[in-house]
Amino acid sequence: DRFGLYTKRSGKRCEPQVVVNGFIDRDFDLRSVNTVDVLGFEFHTVATTPLRYRPSGDERGGSQCGTVIVWMK
């Protein structure tokens, strides 16, 4: 797995979308983060993903697996 965090959707493993400091990062490896550098961590379901991280015209959210938002120093 890409960063050690996943959800389940229809019984299958599903990786959430990752946003770092306001930008979608498809290559982010959460395991490489030093916790002293983290200012905040959010997890959003598909329904609660902020509008700015939802693809245009997609009412369901930024990812079918939810969205992780990490705020770093």
PDB file of all heavy atoms in Angstrom, residues 6-41:
ATOM      1  N   TYR A   6      -5.805   2.961   4.827  1.00  0.00           N
ATOM      2  CA  TYR A   6      -6.818   2.655   3.832  1.00  0.00           C
ATOM      3  C   TYR A   6      -8.164   2.465   4.510  1.00  0.00           C
ATOM      4  O   TYR A   6      -8.245   2.276   5.713  1.00  0.00           O
ATOM      5  CB  TYR A   6      -6.446   1.423   3.005  1.00  0.00           C
ATOM      6  CG  TYR A   6      -6.376   0.139   3.795  1.00  0.00           C
ATOM      7  CD1 TYR A   6      -7.490  -0.682   3.920  1.00  0.00           C
ATOM      8  CD2 TYR A   6      -5.207  -0.246   4.429  1.00  0.00           C
ATOM      9  CE1 TYR A   6      -7.444  -1.849   4.652  1.00  0.00           C
ATOM     10  CE2 TYR A   6      -5.147  -1.419   5.159  1.00  0.00           C
ATOM     11  CZ  TYR A   6      -6.263  -2.210   5.259  1.00  0.00           C
ATOM     12  OH  TYR A   6      -6.221  -3.362   5.993  1.00  0.00           O
ATOM     13  N   THR A   7      -9.207   2.562   3.723  1.00  0.00           N
ATOM     14  CA  THR A   7     -10.563   2.314   4.197  1.00  0.00           C
ATOM     15  C   THR A   7     -11.080   1.082   3.465  1.00  0.00           C
ATOM     16  O   THR A   7     -10.386   0.497   2.652  1.00  0.00           O
ATOM     17  CB  THR A   7     -11.473   3.521   3.897  1.00  0.00           C
ATOM     18  OG1 THR A   7     -11.516   3.732   2.495  1.00  0.00           O
ATOM     19  CG2 THR A   7     -10.975   4.771   4.590  1.00  0.00           C
ATOM     20  N   LYS A   8     -12.285   0.699   3.775  1.00  0.00           N
ATOM     21  CA  LYS A   8     -12.919  -0.403   3.054  1.00  0.00           C
ATOM     22  C   LYS A   8     -14.153   0.125   2.360  1.00  0.00           C
ATOM     23  O   LYS A   8     -14.917   0.900   2.924  1.00  0.00           O
ATOM     24  CB  LYS A   8     -13.297  -1.527   4.007  1.00  0.00           C
ATOM     25  CG  LYS A   8     -12.104  -2.245   4.564  1.00  0.00           C
ATOM     26  CD  LYS A   8     -12.243  -3.699   4.353  1.00  0.00           C
ATOM     27  CE  LYS A   8     -10.969  -4.380   4.840  1.00  0.00           C
ATOM     28  NZ  LYS A   8     -11.002  -5.769   4.609  1.00  0.00           N
ATOM     29  N   ARG A   9     -14.322  -0.278   1.129  1.00  0.00           N
ATOM     30  CA  ARG A   9     -15.491   0.103   0.339  1.00  0.00           C
ATOM     31  C   ARG A   9     -16.011  -1.162  -0.312  1.00  0.00           C
ATOM     32  O   ARG A   9     -15.290  -1.818  -1.049  1.00  0.00           O
ATOM     33  CB  ARG A   9     -15.100   1.146  -0.699  1.00  0.00           C
ATOM     34  CG  ARG A   9     -16.259   1.594  -1.540  1.00  0.00           C
ATOM     35  CD  ARG A   9     -15.816   2.754  -2.440  1.00  0.00           C
ATOM     36  NE  ARG A   9     -16.795   3.051  -3.439  1.00  0.00           N
ATOM     37  CZ  ARG A   9     -17.849   3.825  -3.259  1.00  0.00           C
ATOM     38  NH1 ARG A   9     -18.048   4.381  -2.092  1.00  0.00           N
ATOM     39  NH2 ARG A   9     -18.704   4.046  -4.225  1.00  0.00           N
ATOM     40  N   SER A  10     -17.239  -1.506  -0.019  1.00  0.00           N
ATOM     41  CA  SER A  10     -17.839  -2.742  -0.531  1.00  0.00           C
ATOM     42  C   SER A  10     -16.969  -3.948  -0.202  1.00  0.00           C
ATOM     43  O   SER A  10     -16.824  -4.856  -1.010  1.00  0.00           O
ATOM     44  CB  SER A  10     -18.060  -2.639  -2.041  1.00  0.00           C
ATOM     45  OG  SER A  10     -18.891  -1.557  -2.350  1.00  0.00           O
ATOM     46  N   GLY A  11     -16.344  -3.917   0.994  1.00  0.00           N
ATOM     47  CA  GLY A  11     -15.535  -5.042   1.444  1.00  0.00           C
ATOM     48  C   GLY A  11     -14.144  -5.097   0.838  1.00  0.00           C
ATOM     49  O   GLY A  11     -13.378  -5.992   1.141  1.00  0.00           O
ATOM     50  N   LYS A  12     -13.793  -4.123  -0.010  1.00  0.00           N
ATOM     51  CA  LYS A  12     -12.478  -4.117  -0.657  1.00  0.00           C
ATOM     52  C   LYS A  12     -11.642  -2.965  -0.122  1.00  0.00           C
ATOM     53  O   LYS A  12     -12.153  -1.916   0.229  1.00  0.00           O
ATOM     54  CB  LYS A  12     -12.623  -3.976  -2.167  1.00  0.00           C
ATOM     55  CG  LYS A  12     -13.328  -5.164  -2.786  1.00  0.00           C
ATOM     56  CD  LYS A  12     -13.434  -5.004  -4.277  1.00  0.00           C
ATOM     57  CE  LYS A  12     -14.189  -6.189  -4.855  1.00  0.00           C
ATOM     58  NZ  LYS A  12     -14.414  -6.054  -6.276  1.00  0.00           N
ATOM     59  N   ARG A  13     -10.353  -3.182  -0.095  1.00  0.00           N
ATOM     60  CA  ARG A  13      -9.408  -2.170   0.353  1.00  0.00           C
ATOM     61  C   ARG A  13      -9.423  -0.962  -0.586  1.00  0.00           C
ATOM     62  O   ARG A  13      -9.462  -1.116  -1.796  1.00  0.00           O
ATOM     63  CB  ARG A  13      -8.026  -2.805   0.355  1.00  0.00           C
ATOM     64  CG  ARG A  13      -7.010  -2.049   1.056  1.00  0.00           C
ATOM     65  CD  ARG A  13      -5.776  -2.919   1.073  1.00  0.00           C
ATOM     66  NE  ARG A  13      -4.639  -2.131   1.437  1.00  0.00           N
ATOM     67  CZ  ARG A  13      -3.654  -2.582   2.176  1.00  0.00           C
ATOM     68  NH1 ARG A  13      -3.671  -3.820   2.592  1.00  0.00           N
ATOM     69  NH2 ARG A  13      -2.664  -1.808   2.474  1.00  0.00           N
ATOM     70  N   CYS A  14      -9.392   0.232  -0.002  1.00  0.00           N
ATOM     71  CA  CYS A  14      -9.566   1.448  -0.790  1.00  0.00           C
ATOM     72  C   CYS A  14      -8.702   2.559  -0.183  1.00  0.00           C
ATOM     73  O   CYS A  14      -8.831   2.856   0.999  1.00  0.00           O
ATOM     74  CB  CYS A  14     -11.050   1.812  -0.743  1.00  0.00           C
ATOM     75  SG  CYS A  14     -11.570   3.091  -1.852  1.00  0.00           S
ATOM     76  N   GLU A  15      -7.802   3.167  -0.974  1.00  0.00           N
ATOM     77  CA  GLU A  15      -6.937   4.236  -0.470  1.00  0.00           C
ATOM     78  C   GLU A  15      -7.598   5.598  -0.650  1.00  0.00           C
ATOM     79  O   GLU A  15      -8.034   5.943  -1.741  1.00  0.00           O
ATOM     80  CB  GLU A  15      -5.597   4.232  -1.193  1.00  0.00           C
ATOM     81  CG  GLU A  15      -4.744   3.047  -0.839  1.00  0.00           C
ATOM     82  CD  GLU A  15      -3.362   3.134  -1.439  1.00  0.00           C
ATOM     83  OE1 GLU A  15      -3.063   4.094  -2.173  1.00  0.00           O
ATOM     84  OE2 GLU A  15      -2.576   2.224  -1.166  1.00  0.00           O
ATOM     85  N   PRO A  16      -7.646   6.393   0.409  1.00  0.00           N
ATOM     86  CA  PRO A  16      -8.246   7.729   0.295  1.00  0.00           C
ATOM     87  C   PRO A  16      -7.345   8.688  -0.490  1.00  0.00           C
ATOM     88  O   PRO A  16      -6.144   8.480  -0.621  1.00  0.00           O
ATOM     89  CB  PRO A  16      -8.382   8.186   1.743  1.00  0.00           C
ATOM     90  CG  PRO A  16      -7.387   7.394   2.502  1.00  0.00           C
ATOM     91  CD  PRO A  16      -7.225   6.096   1.777  1.00  0.00           C
ATOM     92  N   GLN A  17      -7.954   9.725  -0.996  1.00  0.00           N
ATOM     93  CA  GLN A  17      -7.221  10.814  -1.629  1.00  0.00           C
ATOM     94  C   GLN A  17      -6.396  11.513  -0.541  1.00  0.00           C
ATOM     95  O   GLN A  17      -6.852  11.654   0.588  1.00  0.00           O
ATOM     96  CB  GLN A  17      -8.230  11.792  -2.227  1.00  0.00           C
ATOM     97  CG  GLN A  17      -7.672  13.101  -2.666  1.00  0.00           C
ATOM     98  CD  GLN A  17      -8.744  13.971  -3.271  1.00  0.00           C
ATOM     99  OE1 GLN A  17      -8.854  14.046  -4.468  1.00  0.00           O
ATOM    100  NE2 GLN A  17      -9.560  14.615  -2.447  1.00  0.00           N
ATOM    101  N   VAL A  18      -5.184  11.972  -0.879  1.00  0.00           N
ATOM    102  CA  VAL A  18      -4.334  12.654   0.089  1.00  0.00           C
ATOM    103  C   VAL A  18      -4.105  14.097  -0.353  1.00  0.00           C
ATOM    104  O   VAL A  18      -3.777  14.359  -1.513  1.00  0.00           O
ATOM    105  CB  VAL A  18      -2.969  11.938   0.240  1.00  0.00           C
ATOM    106  CG1 VAL A  18      -2.072  12.703   1.197  1.00  0.00           C
ATOM    107  CG2 VAL A  18      -3.168  10.520   0.726  1.00  0.00           C
ATOM    108  N   VAL A  19      -4.291  15.017   0.589  1.00  0.00           N
ATOM    109  CA  VAL A  19      -4.051  16.438   0.351  1.00  0.00           C
ATOM    110  C   VAL A  19      -3.016  16.893   1.377  1.00  0.00           C
ATOM    111  O   VAL A  19      -3.173  16.647   2.574  1.00  0.00           O
ATOM    112  CB  VAL A  19      -5.360  17.251   0.514  1.00  0.00           C
ATOM    113  CG1 VAL A  19      -5.091  18.734   0.375  1.00  0.00           C
ATOM    114  CG2 VAL A  19      -6.399  16.780  -0.484  1.00  0.00           C
ATOM    115  N   VAL A  20      -1.933  17.526   0.903  1.00  0.00           N
ATOM    116  CA  VAL A  20      -0.882  18.019   1.784  1.00  0.00           C
ATOM    117  C   VAL A  20      -0.779  19.533   1.608  1.00  0.00           C
ATOM    118  O   VAL A  20      -0.563  20.014   0.494  1.00  0.00           O
ATOM    119  CB  VAL A  20       0.476  17.359   1.471  1.00  0.00           C
ATOM    120  CG1 VAL A  20       1.555  17.881   2.404  1.00  0.00           C
ATOM    121  CG2 VAL A  20       0.370  15.840   1.573  1.00  0.00           C
ATOM    122  N   ASN A  21      -0.977  20.247   2.706  1.00  0.00           N
ATOM    123  CA  ASN A  21      -0.920  21.715   2.692  1.00  0.00           C
ATOM    124  C   ASN A  21      -1.763  22.326   1.578  1.00  0.00           C
ATOM    125  O   ASN A  21      -1.361  23.288   0.921  1.00  0.00           O
ATOM    126  CB  ASN A  21       0.531  22.201   2.595  1.00  0.00           C
ATOM    127  CG  ASN A  21       1.311  21.914   3.858  1.00  0.00           C
ATOM    128  OD1 ASN A  21       0.746  21.725   4.923  1.00  0.00           O
ATOM    129  ND2 ASN A  21       2.621  21.856   3.746  1.00  0.00           N
ATOM    130  N   GLY A  22      -2.934  21.754   1.370  1.00  0.00           N
ATOM    131  CA  GLY A  22      -3.884  22.317   0.425  1.00  0.00           C
ATOM    132  C   GLY A  22      -3.788  21.815  -1.007  1.00  0.00           C
ATOM    133  O   GLY A  22      -4.572  22.228  -1.860  1.00  0.00           O
ATOM    134  N   PHE A  23      -2.840  20.921  -1.297  1.00  0.00           N
ATOM    135  CA  PHE A  23      -2.674  20.420  -2.654  1.00  0.00           C
ATOM    136  C   PHE A  23      -2.799  18.899  -2.694  1.00  0.00           C
ATOM    137  O   PHE A  23      -2.215  18.210  -1.852  1.00  0.00           O
ATOM    138  CB  PHE A  23      -1.303  20.820  -3.222  1.00  0.00           C
ATOM    139  CG  PHE A  23      -1.134  22.303  -3.338  1.00  0.00           C
ATOM    140  CD1 PHE A  23      -0.508  23.028  -2.341  1.00  0.00           C
ATOM    141  CD2 PHE A  23      -1.623  22.974  -4.449  1.00  0.00           C
ATOM    142  CE1 PHE A  23      -0.363  24.408  -2.441  1.00  0.00           C
ATOM    143  CE2 PHE A  23      -1.482  24.351  -4.563  1.00  0.00           C
ATOM    144  CZ  PHE A  23      -0.854  25.070  -3.554  1.00  0.00           C
ATOM    145  N   ILE A  24      -3.529  18.388  -3.667  1.00  0.00           N
ATOM    146  CA  ILE A  24      -3.657  16.941  -3.834  1.00  0.00           C
ATOM    147  C   ILE A  24      -2.280  16.387  -4.182  1.00  0.00           C
ATOM    148  O   ILE A  24      -1.588  16.899  -5.049  1.00  0.00           O
ATOM    149  CB  ILE A  24      -4.682  16.606  -4.930  1.00  0.00           C
ATOM    150  CG1 ILE A  24      -6.075  17.067  -4.494  1.00  0.00           C
ATOM    151  CG2 ILE A  24      -4.674  15.110  -5.228  1.00  0.00           C
ATOM    152  CD1 ILE A  24      -7.133  16.978  -5.567  1.00  0.00           C
ATOM    153  N   ASP A  25      -1.871  15.335  -3.462  1.00  0.00           N
ATOM    154  CA  ASP A  25      -0.563  14.724  -3.674  1.00  0.00           C
ATOM    155  C   ASP A  25      -0.743  13.226  -3.854  1.00  0.00           C
ATOM    156  O   ASP A  25      -0.935  12.500  -2.894  1.00  0.00           O
ATOM    157  CB  ASP A  25       0.355  15.031  -2.491  1.00  0.00           C
ATOM    158  CG  ASP A  25       1.785  14.603  -2.718  1.00  0.00           C
ATOM    159  OD1 ASP A  25       2.027  13.726  -3.577  1.00  0.00           O
ATOM    160  OD2 ASP A  25       2.674  15.144  -2.040  1.00  0.00           O
ATOM    161  N   ARG A  26      -0.671  12.770  -5.071  1.00  0.00           N
ATOM    162  CA  ARG A  26      -0.906  11.351  -5.370  1.00  0.00           C
ATOM    163  C   ARG A  26       0.261  10.451  -4.996  1.00  0.00           C
ATOM    164  O   ARG A  26       0.141   9.241  -4.976  1.00  0.00           O
ATOM    165  CB  ARG A  26      -1.255  11.204  -6.844  1.00  0.00           C
ATOM    166  CG  ARG A  26      -2.610  11.771  -7.158  1.00  0.00           C
ATOM    167  CD  ARG A  26      -2.955  11.687  -8.636  1.00  0.00           C
ATOM    168  NE  ARG A  26      -4.320  12.132  -8.889  1.00  0.00           N
ATOM    169  CZ  ARG A  26      -4.706  13.386  -8.964  1.00  0.00           C
ATOM    170  NH1 ARG A  26      -3.825  14.342  -8.800  1.00  0.00           N
ATOM    171  NH2 ARG A  26      -5.960  13.703  -9.199  1.00  0.00           N
ATOM    172  N   ASP A  27       1.426  11.036  -4.687  1.00  0.00           N
ATOM    173  CA  ASP A  27       2.618  10.245  -4.372  1.00  0.00           C
ATOM    174  C   ASP A  27       3.043  10.350  -2.910  1.00  0.00           C
ATOM    175  O   ASP A  27       4.091   9.846  -2.532  1.00  0.00           O
ATOM    176  CB  ASP A  27       3.788  10.699  -5.260  1.00  0.00           C
ATOM    177  CG  ASP A  27       3.496  10.462  -6.732  1.00  0.00           C
ATOM    178  OD1 ASP A  27       2.954   9.399  -7.066  1.00  0.00           O
ATOM    179  OD2 ASP A  27       3.801  11.367  -7.536  1.00  0.00           O
ATOM    180  N   PHE A  28       2.244  10.990  -2.080  1.00  0.00           N
ATOM    181  CA  PHE A  28       2.607  11.218  -0.686  1.00  0.00           C
ATOM    182  C   PHE A  28       2.674   9.902   0.086  1.00  0.00           C
ATOM    183  O   PHE A  28       1.781   9.069   0.011  1.00  0.00           O
ATOM    184  CB  PHE A  28       1.586  12.153  -0.038  1.00  0.00           C
ATOM    185  CG  PHE A  28       1.954  12.577   1.344  1.00  0.00           C
ATOM    186  CD1 PHE A  28       2.957  13.510   1.551  1.00  0.00           C
ATOM    187  CD2 PHE A  28       1.300  12.049   2.434  1.00  0.00           C
ATOM    188  CE1 PHE A  28       3.294  13.919   2.828  1.00  0.00           C
ATOM    189  CE2 PHE A  28       1.629  12.446   3.717  1.00  0.00           C
ATOM    190  CZ  PHE A  28       2.634  13.386   3.910  1.00  0.00           C
ATOM    191  N   ASP A  29       3.765   9.719   0.836  1.00  0.00           N
ATOM    192  CA  ASP A  29       3.943   8.523   1.662  1.00  0.00           C
ATOM    193  C   ASP A  29       3.843   8.941   3.128  1.00  0.00           C
ATOM    194  O   ASP A  29       4.775   9.536   3.675  1.00  0.00           O
ATOM    195  CB  ASP A  29       5.295   7.888   1.367  1.00  0.00           C
ATOM    196  CG  ASP A  29       5.498   6.581   2.114  1.00  0.00           C
ATOM    197  OD1 ASP A  29       4.682   6.245   3.016  1.00  0.00           O
ATOM    198  OD2 ASP A  29       6.467   5.876   1.812  1.00  0.00           O
ATOM    199  N   LEU A  30       2.716   8.664   3.740  1.00  0.00           N
ATOM    200  CA  LEU A  30       2.457   9.070   5.122  1.00  0.00           C
ATOM    201  C   LEU A  30       3.474   8.482   6.094  1.00  0.00           C
ATOM    202  O   LEU A  30       3.801   9.079   7.104  1.00  0.00           O
ATOM    203  CB  LEU A  30       1.035   8.655   5.513  1.00  0.00           C
ATOM    204  CG  LEU A  30       0.462   9.216   6.787  1.00  0.00           C
ATOM    205  CD1 LEU A  30       0.391  10.730   6.730  1.00  0.00           C
ATOM    206  CD2 LEU A  30      -0.911   8.636   7.054  1.00  0.00           C
ATOM    207  N   ARG A  31       4.027   7.334   5.752  1.00  0.00           N
ATOM    208  CA  ARG A  31       5.004   6.685   6.635  1.00  0.00           C
ATOM    209  C   ARG A  31       6.311   7.467   6.732  1.00  0.00           C
ATOM    210  O   ARG A  31       7.083   7.259   7.652  1.00  0.00           O
ATOM    211  CB  ARG A  31       5.272   5.262   6.161  1.00  0.00           C
ATOM    212  CG  ARG A  31       4.040   4.375   6.280  1.00  0.00           C
ATOM    213  CD  ARG A  31       4.269   3.067   5.622  1.00  0.00           C
ATOM    214  NE  ARG A  31       4.432   3.313   4.182  1.00  0.00           N
ATOM    215  CZ  ARG A  31       4.434   2.377   3.265  1.00  0.00           C
ATOM    216  NH1 ARG A  31       4.295   1.126   3.611  1.00  0.00           N
ATOM    217  NH2 ARG A  31       4.569   2.676   1.995  1.00  0.00           N
ATOM    218  N   SER A  32       6.566   8.368   5.788  1.00  0.00           N
ATOM    219  CA  SER A  32       7.818   9.128   5.788  1.00  0.00           C
ATOM    220  C   SER A  32       7.741  10.411   6.621  1.00  0.00           C
ATOM    221  O   SER A  32       8.729  11.124   6.762  1.00  0.00           O
ATOM    222  CB  SER A  32       8.203   9.491   4.349  1.00  0.00           C
ATOM    223  OG  SER A  32       7.295  10.440   3.828  1.00  0.00           O
ATOM    224  N   VAL A  33       6.595  10.695   7.186  1.00  0.00           N
ATOM    225  CA  VAL A  33       6.383  11.948   7.912  1.00  0.00           C
ATOM    226  C   VAL A  33       6.891  11.848   9.342  1.00  0.00           C
ATOM    227  O   VAL A  33       6.606  10.898  10.055  1.00  0.00           O
ATOM    228  CB  VAL A  33       4.871  12.305   7.916  1.00  0.00           C
ATOM    229  CG1 VAL A  33       4.600  13.501   8.805  1.00  0.00           C
ATOM    230  CG2 VAL A  33       4.389  12.545   6.512  1.00  0.00           C
ATOM    231  N   ASN A  34       7.643  12.855   9.752  1.00  0.00           N
ATOM    232  CA  ASN A  34       8.056  12.976  11.147  1.00  0.00           C
ATOM    233  C   ASN A  34       6.917  13.697  11.865  1.00  0.00           C
ATOM    234  O   ASN A  34       6.533  14.801  11.469  1.00  0.00           O
ATOM    235  CB  ASN A  34       9.360  13.768  11.240  1.00  0.00           C
ATOM    236  CG  ASN A  34       9.910  13.791  12.645  1.00  0.00           C
ATOM    237  OD1 ASN A  34       9.184  13.638  13.619  1.00  0.00           O
ATOM    238  ND2 ASN A  34      11.207  13.980  12.749  1.00  0.00           N
ATOM    239  N   THR A  35       6.383  13.118  12.894  1.00  0.00           N
ATOM    240  CA  THR A  35       5.203  13.676  13.561  1.00  0.00           C
ATOM    241  C   THR A  35       5.412  15.085  14.098  1.00  0.00           C
ATOM    242  O   THR A  35       4.460  15.840  14.229  1.00  0.00           O
ATOM    243  CB  THR A  35       4.707  12.761  14.695  1.00  0.00           C
ATOM    244  OG1 THR A  35       5.781  12.544  15.614  1.00  0.00           O
ATOM    245  CG2 THR A  35       4.219  11.440  14.147  1.00  0.00           C
ATOM    246  N   VAL A  36       6.645  15.472  14.393  1.00  0.00           N
ATOM    247  CA  VAL A  36       6.884  16.837  14.887  1.00  0.00           C
ATOM    248  C   VAL A  36       6.642  17.875  13.788  1.00  0.00           C
ATOM    249  O   VAL A  36       6.497  19.060  14.084  1.00  0.00           O
ATOM    250  CB  VAL A  36       8.293  17.025  15.500  1.00  0.00           C
ATOM    251  CG1 VAL A  36       8.490  16.110  16.692  1.00  0.00           C
ATOM    252  CG2 VAL A  36       9.373  16.825  14.471  1.00  0.00           C
ATOM    253  N   ASP A  37       6.584  17.435  12.531  1.00  0.00           N
ATOM    254  CA  ASP A  37       6.347  18.338  11.405  1.00  0.00           C
ATOM    255  C   ASP A  37       4.865  18.484  11.055  1.00  0.00           C
ATOM    256  O   ASP A  37       4.511  19.271  10.184  1.00  0.00           O
ATOM    257  CB  ASP A  37       7.106  17.868  10.173  1.00  0.00           C
ATOM    258  CG  ASP A  37       8.611  17.931  10.373  1.00  0.00           C
ATOM    259  OD1 ASP A  37       9.072  18.851  11.088  1.00  0.00           O
ATOM    260  OD2 ASP A  37       9.321  17.080   9.813  1.00  0.00           O
ATOM    261  N   VAL A  38       4.002  17.730  11.728  1.00  0.00           N
ATOM    262  CA  VAL A  38       2.567  17.752  11.422  1.00  0.00           C
ATOM    263  C   VAL A  38       1.866  18.791  12.295  1.00  0.00           C
ATOM    264  O   VAL A  38       1.932  18.740  13.517  1.00  0.00           O
ATOM    265  CB  VAL A  38       1.928  16.361  11.640  1.00  0.00           C
ATOM    266  CG1 VAL A  38       0.424  16.414  11.425  1.00  0.00           C
ATOM    267  CG2 VAL A  38       2.570  15.333  10.721  1.00  0.00           C
ATOM    268  N   LEU A  39       1.185  19.733  11.635  1.00  0.00           N
ATOM    269  CA  LEU A  39       0.393  20.734  12.357  1.00  0.00           C
ATOM    270  C   LEU A  39      -1.043  20.263  12.560  1.00  0.00           C
ATOM    271  O   LEU A  39      -1.686  20.620  13.540  1.00  0.00           O
ATOM    272  CB  LEU A  39       0.384  22.051  11.588  1.00  0.00           C
ATOM    273  CG  LEU A  39       1.725  22.755  11.449  1.00  0.00           C
ATOM    274  CD1 LEU A  39       1.603  23.955  10.528  1.00  0.00           C
ATOM    275  CD2 LEU A  39       2.232  23.175  12.811  1.00  0.00           C
ATOM    276  N   GLY A  40      -1.549  19.487  11.604  1.00  0.00           N
ATOM    277  CA  GLY A  40      -2.920  19.005  11.703  1.00  0.00           C
ATOM    278  C   GLY A  40      -3.161  17.846  10.760  1.00  0.00           C
ATOM    279  O   GLY A  40      -2.450  17.664   9.768  1.00  0.00           O
ATOM    280  N   PHE A  41      -4.167  17.046  11.083  1.00  0.00           N
ATOM    281  CA  PHE A  41      -4.522  15.868  10.295  1.00  0.00           C
ATOM    282  C   PHE A  41      -6.037  15.775  10.285  1.00  0.00           C
ATOM    283  O   PHE A  41      -6.666  15.841  11.342  1.00  0.00           O
ATOM    284  CB  PHE A  41      -3.922  14.615  10.939  1.00  0.00           C
ATOM    285  CG  PHE A  41      -4.175  13.349  10.187  1.00  0.00           C
ATOM    286  CD1 PHE A  41      -3.286  12.915   9.226  1.00  0.00           C
ATOM    287  CD2 PHE A  41      -5.309  12.586  10.444  1.00  0.00           C
ATOM    288  CE1 PHE A  41      -3.514  11.738   8.531  1.00  0.00           C
ATOM    289  CE2 PHE A  41      -5.548  11.420   9.757  1.00  0.00           C
ATOM    290  CZ  PHE A  41      -4.640  10.991   8.799  1.00  0.00           C
TER     291      PHE A  41
END
